[in-house]
Amino acid sequence: MNSPVAHQAPAARLPASRQPSLPGPSGARTVQAAFAFGLAALNLRIAVASLSPVLTEVEHDEHLSSFGGGALSTVPVVCFGAFAFLAPRLTRRFGPHHLLWYALLALTGGIVLRSVPGVLALFGGTLIAGAAIAVGNVLMPQLIKHDFAGRPGLMLACYSLALSGGAALAAGVVVPLESATGWGWRHVLALWAIPSFVAALAWLPELLVPDRRPPERQRQELEKQGGPDTAAPPLRALWRDRTAWAVTLYMGLQSLGYYAILSWLPTLLQDHGMSGSQAGWMLSFSSLPGMAASFAAPWLQQRLRPAFVTPLAAALLCATGFIGLLTSPVSGAYLWMTALGLGQGLAMGLALGYIVARSPDAHHTGRLSTMAQGTGYLIACLGPLGLGLLHSASGGWSLPVAMLLAVLVAQTVAAFGASRDRHVLAPS
């Protein structure tokens, strides 16, 4: 059986001579391009993960209720969905490489603004950072298909690893930085503008590569050479495709669980008697096995058969962690966080891998990435907000965690379609 990434659907492509593609890195540029890509990916979760360990302090200082804290945690995820649909239009205008650079600069500005005193700046900066990350989320799978077509599995693994690593770093060091420096949460959160600005600087050489033209200019030149470029499918065509919906639902449901835990796990553990620094460490610790699992996900996706085994294992690991949080959240914390980290890391790596594997070329990858991450993150935003509402209504954590177990069932059903070795828009 052909690899899901390598398999092609000829009917959905133009001949190779008609494919307007950006030149991938070669020779000495390969390492530099991969390094810049990894730095950019590292910053796509830091702004979100750095907030949750100090969310209780933010609520106190800004006089936010549990609902307000949940809303603040939800803003980035809503942005991930809503602003993802702008990415195709912006990509046609600026090209993917220039657009990613603009997104990293906007992310830097949003992180700085978020640390300015006042609720308006807090929510406004969070919104800007979330919008910038949304654009980056859509672009990264497309850039893998464009720039690293010969090694998509490896780059997907590195991408997943960087996302998990950024979340682990941010969640683990925020509270210790507060203690070590004596600074408040505003100054500590503002520090995360530094790595995003460094990533923007590292990406600059990619803008100097010849032929980084916006796709609109490429299409105009192609029309002069003998016809319009029809390789990119309209986004509306994917709304009628079952495989596209399976990938979208899997992305959304696993993200719902991930961001719910990212937003509320430290608060849950603190409510059961754990210290703030230890609770933040547990969130960071869960990312360590998650990094290993997300890195291994593309390899497992291609080699384990039947393909449904891998997402099923991810769901069972997550269920183990959730049940542990219901029964003995503090005494068994390391065990539950290991299981939860492995399950969520594996699910995240699979969700990103399905976007690339179910697309025959970079044009389809861009459209599927828009649908899966745009719609998927709008589904995911129900996680942080929903857990906050259920916690406020019930006064405890049993009902919110039970909801996450129910979501796992739906996620497993979506995995049946997403794991099938089939491209979107392929003939039946």
Side-chain angles (χ1 to χ4, degrees):
M1 179 179 293
N2 292 333
S3 162
V5 174
H7 178 67
Q8 300 295 326
R13 295 175 61 97
L14 289 177
S17 61
R18 297 278 302 281
Q19 293 292 326
S21 59
L22 298 175
S26 59
R29 284 200 54 254
T30 302
V31 174
Q32 188 278 328
F35 176 73
F37 179 89
L39 271 184
L42 190 71
N43 283 275
L44 295 184
R45 294 297 178 269
I46 282 179
V48 181
S50 60
L51 178 63
S52 57
V54 294
L55 184 59
T56 301
E57 298 176 51
V58 175
E59 290 175 346
H60 178 269
D61 290 351
E62 297 294 348
H63 308 290
L64 298 176
S65 63
S66 293
F67 176 80
L72 182 63
S73 300
T74 304
V75 166
V77 190
V78 173
C79 290
F80 293 175
F83 286 93
F85 292 105
L86 292 178
R89 182 185 297 271
L90 294 173
T91 302
R92 288 194 298 271
R93 174 76 178 270
F94 300 107
H97 298 84
H98 286 78
L99 182 57
L100 181 60
W101 186 65
Y102 297 143
L104 290 170
L105 292 179
L107 175 59
T108 302
I111 292 173
V112 172
L113 178 60
R114 182 178 66 174
S115 302
V116 174
V119 173
L120 184 61
L122 176 65
F123 277 86
T126 301
L127 188 149
I128 292 172
I133 294 172
V135 173
N137 286 340
V138 173
L139 290 175
M140 297 308 254
Q142 185 177 2
L143 287 170
I144 288 174
K145 204 82 168 184
H146 269 292
D147 293 356
F148 304 98
R151 52 188 75 84
L154 175 61
M155 293 309 299
L156 271 170
C158 292
Y159 176 41
S160 299
L161 182 64
L163 291 179
S164 301
L169 176 67
V173 305
V174 167
V175 175
L177 272 176
E178 279 188 300
S179 301
T181 61
W183 295 348
W185 60 267
R186 297 185 193 279
H187 293 90
V188 172
L189 291 185
L191 288 175
W192 297 110
I194 297 174
S196 62
F197 184 67
V198 171
L201 293 179
W203 192 252
L204 271 175
E206 292 302 298
L207 309 187
L208 305 178
V209 176
D211 204 32
R212 293 302 196 212
R213 299 165 298 166
E216 284 186 350
R217 188 181 304 173
Q218 294 184 37
R219 185 166 54 253
Q220 290 170 2
E221 294 180 5
L222 189 66
E223 289 174 354
K224 295 178 181 177
Q225 297 171 9
D229 175 15
T230 58
L235 185 60
R236 62 180 177 273
L238 293 178
W239 296 109
R240 300 186 295 271
D241 187 84
R242 292 183 180 180
T243 301
W245 270 110
V247 173
T248 297
L249 290 174
Y250 191 80
M251 168 61 77
L253 294 171
Q254 67 84 26
S255 295
L256 187 156
Y258 175 81
Y259 285 103
I261 290 297
L262 189 66
S263 301
W264 290 107
L265 177 66
T267 305
L268 182 155
L269 294 176
Q270 288 178 69
D271 285 353
H272 284 87
M274 189 175 286
S275 68
S277 59
Q278 183 68 9
W281 159 245
M282 294 311 304
L283 179 61
S284 181
F285 172 80
S286 71
S287 297
L288 299 178
M291 290 166 64
S294 62
F295 186 80
W299 184 87
L300 296 173
Q301 172 192 335
Q302 294 184 27
R303 288 167 176 79
L304 285 189
R305 292 295 180 267
F308 181 69
V309 168
T310 308
L312 179 60
L316 292 175
L317 285 166
C318 288
T320 301
F322 290 150
I323 292 171
L325 291 176
L326 280 174
T327 55
S328 54
V330 175
S331 61
Y334 277 100
L335 178 59
W336 313 136
M337 291 304 98
T338 299
L340 191 57
L342 287 171
Q344 290 192 324
L346 191 56
M348 181 182 69
L350 289 172
L352 295 170
Y354 290 148
I355 293 175
V356 176
R358 301 296 162 252
S359 308
D361 53 43
H363 298 294
H364 288 73
T365 302
R367 293 295 189 268
L368 182 57
S369 183
T370 299
M371 176 180 174
Q373 302 203 60
T375 307
Y377 282 122
L378 290 177
I379 294 171
C381 73
L382 299 175
L385 185 60
L387 251 68
L389 289 172
L390 290 176
H391 175 57
S392 297
S394 65
W397 289 103
S398 296
L399 184 59
V401 175
M403 183 203 76
L404 293 179
L405 284 168
V407 169
L408 270 182
V409 176
Q411 175 183 316
T412 304
V413 172
F416 274 106
S419 61
R420 291 180 60 201
D421 187 8
R422 174 187 172 86
H423 285 151
V424 294
L425 303 180
S428 301

